[in-house]
Amino acid sequence: MNLLRSTGVRVAFKWVFTALVIAAVLLVVDIEKLFVEIIRIPPSAVVVGLALGVIQVFLSAWRWRFTADLLGLPIPYTPAVREYYLATFANQVLPGGVLGDVNRALRHGADNNNRLTAAHGVAIERLSGQVVLAFVVAIGLAWLLFTGRIRGSNPAGFGSLEPLCWLLAGIGVSGGLLWVLARKRVRVRGYFGALRGDLARAFFSWPAFPIQVVTSLLVVASYLAVFLVLAVGMGYLVDLPSVAVVAALCSLLLLSMVVPMTVSGWGVREGAAAILWPLAGLPAEQGVALSVAYGALIFFSSLPGLLFLFSSPVRQC
């Protein structure tokens, strides 16, 4: 009972925190301008964005299947897509953004009584994506800084790069604290020790490494493509430099969603957009509008997961 109460408190806290962050963002942007930006999105951009959301799931499910096969837990592709849709939907509606993946690992391991390896398969598949995303963010941020696309002064009144530094530092500190807390738990230390061997097989071996990297690059590209399609529809992209700027900024939005403090990144993503766009000399409302539209599209593209809420756990090949 105490465990259920504690879990309920954490869930409620993240929902409240999400609402508070979104409210804070709305206080610092022009809501009327924000609404105007959002309604500029044409139906064609919405359709293409939803199609890209489907591609994301199919690519990610293939990456998971490839990883699981290397760990000796083969899974047919169709059930892998089904389970990934279910996990994606759960991640969209439950706080933290990882509970759907936890459930995916449990369901995969239920048939073979090997939940540890199934958990490793999910963890490595997600880690592959996060490592590649970090690489893409590093390149984008370096380009923004070295080309002067991020300026020291801007229309929003930020006087320096301090807000961006605080954003990135916050992400780094959050990750570091999670790592330290994990190291202090004996059971979790044992888990990471066992994970190293599976990482060597499913990520760092040949040809697993290039396949993981290429697949994850395609997944990250599909995320950014959703942003770019929306930006085209809203009239933000007028030349190649503007495409590069928006892509680099949006990669930072994707990184901000890694922080597991809200529901599916809502609030944190919009707050990051409200900071980053003015730093690039662009209206904050543009960034927030893109962020809101992206979140809505990804949510609607995950709705097929509802069809599999009561499906049986996945069976091995």
Side-chain angles (χ1 to χ4, degrees):
M1 182 64 68
N2 289 334
L3 178 61
L4 289 175
R5 186 181 297 113
S6 176
T7 301
V9 169
R10 288 197 299 271
V11 170
F13 169 78
K14 290 186 177 182
W15 275 103
V16 172
F17 182 74
T18 300
L20 289 175
V21 175
I22 292 175
V25 172
L26 294 177
L27 287 175
V28 299
V29 299
D30 188 316
I31 297 179
E32 184 177 345
K33 288 182 180 179
L34 176 62
F35 180 72
V36 169
E37 295 294 332
I38 292 175
I39 63 174
R40 290 174 63 186
I41 303 173
S44 58
V46 173
V47 171
V48 175
L50 290 173
L52 286 168
V54 173
I55 293 173
Q56 289 171 11
V57 172
F58 276 72
L59 280 172
S60 299
W62 189 94
R63 182 178 62 189
W64 176 40
R65 180 176 182 269
F66 172 75
T67 304
D69 284 350
L70 290 176
L71 297 180
L73 294 179
I75 172 175
Y77 185 57
T78 299
V81 171
R82 180 194 74 192
E83 294 298 311
Y84 219 99
Y85 258 120
L86 178 59
T88 301
F89 174 74
N91 286 343
Q92 287 292 310
V93 298
L94 296 176
V98 296
L99 294 179
D101 295 307
V102 172
N103 184 59
R104 174 160 56 102
L106 291 173
R107 287 167 62 88
H108 185 202
D111 181 48
N112 46 60
N113 199 29
N114 194 351
R115 287 183 172 149
L116 181 61
T117 302
H120 289 178
V122 171
I124 293 170
E125 180 263 325
R126 288 297 301 266
L127 178 64
S128 173
Q130 299 304 328
V131 168
V132 169
L133 173 60
F135 177 74
V136 171
V137 167
I139 293 177
L141 182 57
W143 181 81
L144 288 170
L145 292 173
F146 285 115
T147 60
R149 301 288 176 174
I150 289 183
R151 301 200 292 265
S153 61
N154 52 72
F158 295 113
S160 67
L161 293 178
E162 184 179 354
L164 177 59
C165 294
W166 278 110
L167 170 66
L168 297 177
I171 293 172
V173 169
S174 298
L177 286 175
L178 290 174
W179 181 83
V180 170
L181 290 173
R183 295 289 292 177
K184 287 183 177 294
R185 295 178 179 271
V186 174
R187 291 181 63 184
V188 176
R189 282 205 307 269
Y191 166 77
F192 280 107
L195 179 61
R196 282 196 294 268
D198 286 337
L199 268 170
R201 281 196 292 162
F203 190 80
F204 291 110
S205 64
W206 182 267
F209 182 74
I211 292 175
Q212 290 277 11
V213 169
V214 170
T215 307
S216 293
L217 278 172
L218 291 173
V219 172
V220 172
S222 72
Y223 295 153
L224 293 177
V226 175
F227 279 113
L228 293 177
V229 165
L230 291 170
V232 169
M234 299 162 85
Y236 298 163
L237 306 185
V238 295
D239 52 25
L240 189 58
S242 65
V243 173
V245 168
V246 170
L249 292 174
C250 289
S251 70
L252 286 163
L253 296 189
L254 292 173
L255 182 63
S256 72
M257 294 170 62
V258 174
V259 181
M261 288 298 295
T262 63
V263 181
S264 189
W266 282 98
V268 173
R269 183 181 59 236
E270 286 69 38
I275 293 173
L276 291 167
W277 258 250
L279 286 175
L282 300 170
E285 290 78 13
Q286 285 189 8
V288 176
L290 267 178
S291 179
V292 170
Y294 174 86
L297 273 181
I298 295 303
F299 169 74
F300 283 111
S301 69
S302 75
L303 288 180
L306 275 170
L307 301 175
F308 310 122
L309 278 177
F310 303 104
S311 60
S312 299
V314 64
R315 301 295 180 183
Q316 280 190 259
C317 296

